[in-house]
Amino acid sequence: MVKFSREYEASIIPEWKGAFVDYKCLKKLVKKIKVARRDEDDSTTAASDADALVAGAGAGGFSVLNPVRAIAARFAPRVQASPEDEESSDSSGELVRPAARHEREFLERAEEELEKVDGFYATQEAELLGRGEALIDQLRILADIKRILADHAASRRARGLLNRTRSMPATAPLSPALSGSGRFLLSVSGLASPQSMSDGSVELQQAQMTEGAAVADEVMAALERNGVSFVGLPGKKDAKKDSNKTRSGSLQLPATVRIDIPATNPGRTALKVWEELVNVLRKDGADPAAAFVHRKKIQHAEKNIRDAFMALHRGLELLKKFSSLNVKAFTKILKKFVKVSEQQRATDLFSEKVKRSSFSTSDKVLQLADEVESLFMKNFAGNDRMVAMKYLKPQQPRSTHMITFLVGLFTGTFVSLFIIYGILAHVSGIFSSAGNTAYMEVVYHVFSMFALISLHCFLYGCNLFMWKSTRINQNFIFDFAPNTALTHRDAFLMSASIMCTVIAALVINLFLRNAGASYANAVPGALLVLSMGVLVCPFNVFYRSTRYCFMRILRNIVFSPFYKVLMADFFMADQLTSQIPLLRHMEFAACYFMAGSFRANPYETCTNSQQYKHLAYVISFLPYYWRAMQCLRRYLEEHDTNQLANAGKYVSAMVAAAVRFKYSATPTPFWKLMVIISSSGATLYQLYWDFVMDWGFFTPKSKNRWLRDELILKNKSVYYISMVLYFVQLIYSTTSKQARITYSFTMQVLNLALRLAWTVSVMKIHVSKNQTRLLDFSLASLEVIRRGHWNFYRLENEHLNNVGKFRAVKTVPLPFRELETD
C-alpha cells in the first residue's frame, strides 16, 4: 500500500505546489510530538522503577542484584531539554512540557496552512468565476451575431427569389452588409461603405444604407443586451428625440466594438492590416464608428471562444483537484495528530474549521463546471457528450509494453547490422581505398544526416524522461495535447527505428555495390525519398499528430516574422541552430541526388562550385536569422527589451560566421584577428545568455551560490558539474565546416579542455579526408549533445517561472472587446 505522503506528492499540481498544504512539515511536527511524549513516558517509567527498587529493598526483600539495579536506575540517561525544547511558563506560571509546546506549534502551523489554502482557493475561484461570466457573455454575443447575419442572409435569398419571380429587368447589387463575400459593416451612424456609393442610383443607395443600418442596429442591440456599453451613443430613450439630429449627421462618435483576432499567422495579419487601411482610407467620415464583421473573423472568434472554454474547464478541474487533495491532507494529518496528542477537542474544533472553509464547502466551481460542459456540448459538440468530453477531458494514452519491446528489438537489430556493415566495409577496403571516394562521400553525408536526427531524438527522449521524473509539465509549457504528446519511450522508438532503417539501407547498398549492380547508388536516394514520404504521410501511422505538429512548427519558423511566436516555435528554432551540420548534409544530398546533370559528372562538380559554397554559408545563417526574427516579433508584441538583447546574440553569431567566411576567401592577418575577436565575443555572449537568462543562474544574493533560489534537483553539485560540462561542450562545438586540424592537436585540445574549436579554422594544417570527416561528425554530435543538455535546464527555468506565478492554465484572449474613441 502506497503511503499517503507519496501519493499526495505525486498528485499535487506542480505549478500550484506552493499553495498546497505543507503535509511534510506538519508530519514532521507530529513526529516531534510523538518523540517528546515517548521521552516523557520513558523518564517517568525510569523514575518509578528506581523508587520501586528502593522501596522493595526497604521492605526487607533483598536480592544480590538490587544494588546494581538501583545504581543503573539512578544513572539512567534522561532526556535533557535543549535550548529550543526548554520548558517555558505561561502567564499563570505553569510549566509547559515539550510535547505540549510542539502540539501548540502544530496547531499554529496548521492554522497558517489553512489560511494559505483557503486564501488561494478564494482567489482562484473568483478569477475563474469572472472569466466564466465574461466567456458566457462572449458566447452570447457570438450567437446573436451569427443569428442576425443568418436571418439577413435568409431574407436576402428570399428577396432574390421574389425578384426573379417578378422578372425584374435588373437585379440590384448586394449591399455590403449582405454581400456574398461574408463581410458586414457595423455602422452606428447608418452610413454605408464607399464601395456601395460607387455605383447605382440614389434610390438604390438609400436602400443599401437602410439595409446596412438595420443590420448594424440589430448587432449593436445584441451587444448592448450582453452588457457592452457605447461611450457617446444616445440611449434608446433618447434615440427617438435625437432621430432628426442623427439624420442630419451631427451624431457624437461612439466607441467601436470590434472582433479582435490576434495576428498569429500571415492570413490574420493581412486581414488586420487591410481592415486598418480600409478604415483609414474611408471617405464618408464614419471610420471611428465602424468595424468589420468578416466571415473569417467570425470563425476565428468561434475558435478562440472554444479554446477559452477548454482552458476554463481545465482550470475548474484543477481547482476541484486542489480542493479535494487539501481536504484529504488535512483529514489525514489530523488523524495522526489526535493519535499522538490525545487532544480530541482541539482536533474536532480544527476539523470543523476545515469543513467550514470555502475550499471545502463552496460549490460554485462545480456549478460553473457543469454549466461550461453543457454550453460546450450545445455550441461546439452538436449535443454529443462524448465528443465534448473528448475536448474537455482528453484521456491519457494507455502505456503499453509493446513500445518498450520494439525499442529493444530495433536497438538490437541496429547493433547487429552495424557490426555486419563494419565487417563488410573492412573486407571490401572501401575506407582505405582511394578509388571509393564518391562512395564515401555519399555514405558519409547520408549516414551523418540520419545519425544526427536519431541522436537528437534520443536526447529528446532523455529530456522527456527527466522532465517526467522531476514533474516538469512540458506539455503545458509547449501547449501540446496530452493525449497525442510524445513520451520518452516514443522518442526512443523513433531514434532506434531511424538508425535501424539507415544501417539496413547501407548494408543493402554495400551488397549491391560489391555485386556490381549499377543502381547501387540509388539506395541512399530511395532512403531519403522514403523518409520524406513518412514525414508527410496522411495516414494515421508513425505518430501522425507529432509529424504534422513538427511540420507546422517548421512553417512558423521559416515565416517567423509573420507568425506569432510560441514556446514550441522558438524552442525548435534553437534546436535548428545546433543542427547546422545537418542542414549542410541535406544540401549535399539534394545537390547529389536531385540534380540530373550529376549523373554523368563526379560528385566534385557539386562540392567544388562556388554557388554550392555560398549556399552552404547561407544555410549556416538561416537558423540564426529565423531566431533573430522571432525575437524581433516578440519585442514588437511584448515590448520587452530583453528580446532585443536576445536577438543580438544571434546577430553576433551571424557576424562571426560571416567573418570566418571572409577569412576563408582572403586569409590575411587582419581577418585572422577579426575571426578571433568575433568568434570569442559570440561565444562569451552565448555563454552569458544561456547561464543567466535561459537557465536563471548567477542570481544576485541567491541562497544557492552561483545558482538560483529555487532548484528542482536536490543535489546542487549536479548544477555545478553541468555548468562546467556545458562550457566545455560549447567551446568544442563552436567550429566551422572548414576546420582542419591534426589528430594529435585534437587530443591536445581534449586534454587541455580550454581551447576554442573555432580557432582551428584559422590554422592551415591539413589531414586526411577520413580523419576530417570523423572530427566534423564528432563536433556536430557534441553540439547536439550540448543542446540536449541545454534543453533540460531551459525548461526547468520556465517551469519555475510558471510555479512562481501559479500559472497552470493558459489564458486565451477573448475576441470581442470595446475600443473607445476620442
Side-chain angles (χ1 to χ4, degrees):
M1 183 177 180
V2 181
K3 290 185 177 180
F4 174 74
S5 58
R6 294 183 181 178
E7 180 185 353
Y8 177 75
E9 290 293 331
S11 301
I12 62 175
I13 303 166
E15 291 80 7
W16 291 354
K17 185 177 181 180
F20 277 82
V21 57
D22 196 347
Y23 186 83
K24 186 180 294 184
C25 179
L26 294 178
K27 191 175 179 181
K28 289 181 180 179
L29 291 177
V30 170
K31 289 183 178 180
K32 285 185 178 181
I33 298 171
K34 185 177 181 180
V35 171
R37 283 191 171 273
R38 185 184 62 193
D39 293 341
E40 289 176 1
D41 294 341
D42 291 344
S43 61
T44 303
T45 304
S48 61
D49 290 343
D51 294 339
L53 288 173
V54 174
F62 180 77
S63 174
V64 177
L65 298 178
N66 279 346
V68 179
R69 292 172 181 168
I71 293 174
R74 183 173 297 278
F75 291 98
R78 297 191 180 186
V79 177
Q80 300 294 331
S82 62
E84 298 178 356
D85 295 339
E86 206 172 38
E87 294 183 353
S88 60
S89 60
D90 55 12
S91 57
S92 61
E94 183 180 355
L95 293 177
V96 179
R97 296 175 294 106
R101 188 174 62 81
H102 289 315
E103 292 170 2
R104 185 174 61 190
E105 183 182 357
F106 172 85
L107 292 174
E108 292 175 356
R109 184 58 186 267
E111 186 73 27
E112 295 176 0
E113 294 294 322
L114 179 61
E115 292 178 359
K116 178 186 72 174
V117 171
D118 198 42
F120 179 81
Y121 182 86
T123 302
Q124 292 295 322
E125 183 185 49
E127 181 181 347
L128 290 176
L129 291 177
R131 195 184 307 173
E133 292 178 0
L135 191 54
I136 292 174
D137 290 339
Q138 295 272 318
L139 184 61
R140 290 172 182 167
I141 294 173
L142 178 65
D144 285 340
I145 292 179
K146 291 173 66 177
R147 178 185 54 79
I148 293 170
L149 298 182
D151 291 345
H152 279 270
S155 64
R156 176 180 58 83
R157 289 193 296 269
R159 285 198 305 272
L161 180 61
L162 183 61
N163 291 337
R164 284 194 296 271
T165 56
R166 293 179 179 180
S167 300
M168 293 184 65
T171 302
L174 298 177
S175 67
L178 303 171
S179 63
S181 63
R183 176 169 293 176
F184 301 89
L185 186 64
L186 299 186
S187 180
V188 179
S189 59
L191 295 175
S193 63
Q195 291 87 349
S196 64
M197 308 295 287
S198 60
D199 190 13
S201 61
V202 177
E203 292 79 6
L204 178 59
Q205 295 174 5
Q206 186 70 27
Q208 292 174 353
M209 292 166 57
T210 304
E211 191 175 13
V215 177
D217 290 341
E218 290 195 36
V219 174
M220 297 285 285
L223 297 175
E224 287 181 348
R225 285 197 303 270
N226 290 283
V228 179
S229 60
F230 297 88
V231 179
L233 184 65
K236 293 182 179 180
K237 296 181 179 179
D238 300 331
K240 295 181 179 179
K241 298 180 181 180
D242 298 340
S243 59
N244 296 328
K245 187 176 180 180
T246 303
R247 291 191 184 96
S248 64
S250 59
L251 172 64
Q252 187 177 0
L253 295 177
T256 299
V257 177
R258 62 189 300 171
I259 304 177
D260 188 20
I261 303 299
T264 56
N265 55 49
R268 294 185 182 184
T269 303
L271 181 62
K272 191 172 184 179
V273 172
W274 173 252
E275 177 183 336
E276 296 297 333
L277 287 175
V278 170
N279 282 338
V280 169
L281 297 176
R282 293 191 63 189
K283 299 179 181 180
D284 55 5
D287 51 306
F292 285 104
V293 179
H294 196 274
R295 182 180 300 168
K296 276 288 185 183
K297 297 180 73 173
I298 292 293
Q299 294 175 359
H300 293 324
E302 187 172 5
K303 182 179 183 301
N304 281 13
I305 292 176
R306 186 194 66 183
D307 294 342
F309 265 104
M310 294 168 59
L312 176 62
H313 190 271
R314 168 69 176 168
L316 294 172
E317 290 295 319
L318 292 179
L319 198 57
K320 288 194 292 184
K321 182 179 180 181
F322 176 83
S323 172
S324 61
L325 281 177
N326 281 286
V327 170
K328 191 173 182 180
F330 275 117
T331 303
K332 292 285 186 179
I333 202 65
L334 288 178
K335 287 182 179 179
K336 293 180 179 294
F337 173 71
V338 75
K339 286 181 180 179
V340 300
S341 66
E342 298 179 356
Q343 290 196 13
Q344 186 66 44
R345 186 173 181 275
T347 304
D348 292 341
L349 291 175
F350 191 83
S351 180
E352 288 296 328
K353 195 170 184 179
V354 171
K355 292 178 181 179
R356 292 194 303 268
S357 59
S358 60
F359 71 90
S360 179
T361 59
S362 178
D363 59 347
K364 296 180 181 178
V365 172
L366 297 175
Q367 294 177 359
L368 181 59
D370 293 339
E371 185 177 4
V372 167
E373 292 178 3
S374 176
L375 290 173
F376 191 91
M377 181 175 62
K378 178 182 178 182
N379 294 277
F380 303 106
N383 288 324
D384 191 336
R385 183 170 180 81
M386 292 184 63
V387 175
M389 290 301 103
K390 190 179 297 184
Y391 285 99
L392 296 178
K393 296 180 180 180
Q395 298 294 327
Q396 295 286 348
R398 296 179 59 185
S399 59
T400 174
H401 295 291
M402 179 57 67
I403 296 180
T404 306
F405 168 75
L406 291 177
V407 169
L409 177 63
F410 282 120
T411 302
T413 306
F414 159 69
V415 173
S416 302
L417 290 175
F418 188 80
I419 295 174
I420 294 173
Y421 177 77
I423 295 173
L424 290 176
H426 178 72
V427 171
S428 302
I430 60 175
F431 292 112
S432 58
S433 176
N436 292 319
T437 308
Y439 173 80
M440 281 300 303
E441 199 69 25
V442 176
V443 167
Y444 166 70
H445 286 287
V446 173
F447 176 80
S448 298
M449 180 171 58
F450 285 100
L452 291 176
I453 294 175
S454 177
L455 178 61
H456 216 136
C457 290
F458 174 77
L459 292 174
Y460 182 65
C462 295
N463 291 145
L464 290 174
F465 176 77
M466 288 300 299
W467 291 333
K468 180 181 179 181
S469 302
T470 53
R471 304 207 64 210
I472 294 177
N473 192 356
Q474 77 276 359
N475 291 335
F476 170 70
I477 295 174
F478 291 137
D479 197 17
F480 289 161
N483 55 340
T484 57
L486 287 181
T487 64
H488 62 279
R489 293 185 180 88
D490 298 324
F492 292 152
L493 177 59
M494 294 175 66
S495 175
S497 60
I498 289 173
M499 288 308 301
C500 182
T501 305
V502 171
I503 294 299
L506 292 181
V507 170
I508 295 173
N509 181 32
L510 191 57
F511 269 117
L512 294 176
R513 186 178 183 85
N514 294 335
S518 59
Y519 53 87
N521 288 336
V523 175
L527 180 63
L528 294 174
V529 173
L530 176 64
S531 62
M532 292 301 299
V534 172
L535 181 63
V536 300
C537 178
F539 302 107
N540 191 13
V541 292
F542 206 71
Y543 307 104
R544 182 181 63 177
S545 59
T546 301
R547 291 186 283 108
Y548 281 20
C549 178
F550 173 74
M551 291 189 292
R552 184 170 60 251
I553 292 175
L554 286 183
R555 178 205 61 188
N556 296 348
I557 293 173
V558 173
F559 301 100
S560 53
F562 306 105
Y563 282 91
K564 182 178 177 62
V565 183
L566 303 178
M567 179 70 185
D569 297 334
F570 68 78
F571 190 84
M572 178 59 71
D574 281 324
Q575 311 303 307
L576 290 180
T577 59
S578 297
Q579 286 286 17
I580 292 177
L582 169 65
L583 299 179
R584 291 180 176 176
H585 292 317
M586 293 177 64
E587 178 200 10
F588 175 84
C591 181
Y592 188 83
F593 290 107
M594 297 179 64
S597 60
F598 298 141
R599 293 177 181 176
N601 298 324
Y603 74 97
E604 291 88 355
T605 307
C606 182
T607 57
N608 292 338
S609 63
Q610 291 297 322
Q611 292 81 2
Y612 178 87
K613 295 180 180 179
H614 293 168
L615 182 60
Y617 277 97
V618 171
I619 290 175
S620 302
F621 293 152
L622 279 179
Y624 297 107
Y625 167 78
W626 291 331
R627 192 66 187 89
M629 290 298 102
Q630 288 180 336
C631 294
L632 293 179
R633 172 65 187 255
R634 293 188 66 187
Y635 171 74
L636 294 176
E637 292 180 347
E638 304 171 8
H639 304 288
D640 185 7
T641 55
N642 288 332
Q643 298 300 328
L644 290 179
N646 195 12
K649 180 185 69 172
Y650 300 103
V651 172
S652 67
M654 288 190 289
V655 170
V659 172
R660 288 197 295 269
F661 174 71
K662 179 63 177 178
Y663 174 73
S664 64
T666 56
T668 62
F670 171 75
W671 286 111
K672 180 177 181 179
L673 178 63
M674 294 302 297
V675 167
I676 296 175
I677 295 175
S678 61
S679 299
S680 299
T683 302
L684 293 176
Y685 200 161
Q686 184 174 356
L687 277 174
Y688 168 79
W689 195 268
D690 289 343
F691 285 153
V692 178
M693 305 302 296
D694 288 341
W695 292 5
F697 291 166
F698 296 103
T699 303
K701 299 180 181 180
S702 174
K703 62 182 180 181
N704 301 311
R705 190 177 182 182
W706 297 344
L707 302 176
R708 55 176 115 85
D709 290 334
E710 298 295 331
L711 301 174
I712 290 183
L713 302 179
K714 297 180 180 179
N715 192 354
K716 290 191 292 186
S717 61
V718 175
Y719 292 93
Y720 297 116
I721 296 174
S722 298
M723 292 171 66
V724 175
L725 291 178
Y726 184 82
F727 173 76
V728 175
Q729 290 170 351
L730 180 62
I731 295 303
Y732 282 122
S733 59
T734 312
T735 184
S736 65
K737 176 69 172 152
Q738 286 73 26
R740 298 294 182 265
I741 61 176
T742 61
Y743 179 77
S744 60
F745 181 74
T746 305
M747 296 305 297
Q748 293 176 6
V749 172
L750 291 175
N751 292 331
L752 294 175
L754 290 175
R755 296 186 183 272
L756 302 178
W758 51 262
T759 57
V760 300
S761 62
V762 299
M763 301 181 63
K764 299 300 180 179
I765 302 176
H766 298 279
V767 294
S768 66
K769 197 95 171 181
N770 289 338
Q771 289 177 340
T772 300
R773 290 169 182 153
L774 178 63
L775 176 63
D776 290 343
F777 180 75
S778 301
L779 291 173
S781 301
L782 190 63
E783 170 63 18
V784 175
I785 294 173
R786 182 193 68 83
R787 181 57 61 183
H789 194 181
W790 176 88
N791 290 344
F792 173 78
Y793 295 105
R794 177 65 182 89
L795 230 67
E796 179 196 20
N797 189 37
E798 186 71 20
H799 172 74
L800 292 176
N801 291 335
N802 292 336
V803 171
K805 299 177 182 178
F806 298 104
R807 187 167 50 207
V809 181
K810 68 175 183 177
T811 302
V812 180
L814 300 179
F816 300 107
R817 65 186 178 97
E818 178 181 352
L819 300 176
E820 295 186 1
T821 59
D822 297 332

